[in-house]
Amino acid sequence: MSLLTNALVFLATLAGMEVFAWWAHKYVMHGWGWGWHKSHHEPRSGWFEKNDLYAVVFAGVAIGLIALGTAGYHPLEWIGAGMTAYGFLYFVAHDGLVHHRWPLRYVPRNGYLKRLYQAHRLHHAVEGKERCVSFGFLYAPPLPVLKRQLRELHDGPLRKASASEDASRDRQDAA
């Protein structure tokens, strides 16, 4: 296969993963897969949470595709590579930027990263799996749209952040 074809397959997979991730987050993780994902909506103790099993599953699929592709089933290796690249971006943006699961503690002040950060905070503003907004990981709708959706969907009090989350957010905003 040509370099251009491989690059297009890789980029299409990378972009398509955001669509798939949105769908999986909304209908699997907040649906029948809530048993694993619930841990992500609760205070975490330690490095890992049950929700991390989703990353293990998706990494296993990507590894399998790369192995099949390099064994001659082209272009599966480029689909697996696109999935891997998406996983890396997810790790940086979601686990790092939004949830501070790695040592760098950066809170964006403007632009795309701020919108992504705030959109995911709005996703976690609701207790439980129902009536959440913003299911994407690398794309976030405009904040006024999400706030309107949240008001329309919600008929009870929003989730109150724990004292440790409030203190952590206050320290981050002061920095």
Side-chain angles (χ1 to χ4, degrees):
M1 296 188 74
S2 74
L3 181 62
L4 178 59
T5 302
N6 293 338
L8 289 174
V9 169
F10 172 85
L11 292 173
T13 302
L14 182 61
M17 282 301 298
E18 177 65 5
V19 175
F20 172 77
W22 176 92
W23 177 86
H25 189 193
K26 183 168 183 158
Y27 295 108
V28 175
M29 295 175 191
H30 279 253
W32 59 266
W34 180 249
W36 284 4
H37 189 62
K38 181 180 178 185
S39 66
H40 182 65
H41 286 262
E42 297 173 336
R44 180 175 39 85
S45 61
W47 277 90
F48 298 104
E49 54 193 39
K50 201 172 196 179
N51 182 66
D52 294 334
L53 292 171
Y54 283 112
V56 173
V57 169
F58 295 136
V61 170
I63 290 167
L65 290 170
I66 292 169
L68 287 170
T70 57
Y73 296 95
H74 306 291
L76 295 181
E77 70 270 33
W78 295 105
I79 294 172
M83 289 177 68
T84 301
Y86 183 85
F88 174 76
L89 293 173
Y90 168 90
F91 172 73
V92 169
H94 179 265
D95 286 353
L97 177 70
V98 175
H99 289 291
H100 302 289
R101 290 182 68 183
W102 36 272
L104 180 62
R105 300 268 194 244
Y106 172 71
V107 177
R109 301 283 183 228
N110 54 38
Y112 162 75
L113 293 179
K114 180 179 181 181
R115 184 170 90 182
L116 190 65
Y117 179 86
Q118 290 179 330
H120 202 73
R121 300 296 297 173
L122 288 174
H123 175 77
H124 283 268
V126 175
E127 178 127 14
K129 68 179 186 174
E130 305 294 331
R131 299 178 312 225
C132 291
V133 296
S134 189
F135 291 92
F137 293 111
L138 299 179
Y139 170 76
L143 293 174
V145 170
L146 292 175
K147 288 177 181 178
R148 187 186 77 245
Q149 287 175 348
L150 196 58
R151 281 192 304 272
E152 289 170 359
L153 288 170
H154 210 335
D155 57 353
L158 294 177
R159 176 185 176 272
K160 173 68 175 122
S162 69
S164 63
E165 288 174 324
D166 283 338
S168 174
R169 197 172 314 114
D170 291 344
R171 283 192 304 276
Q172 292 164 2
D173 290 342

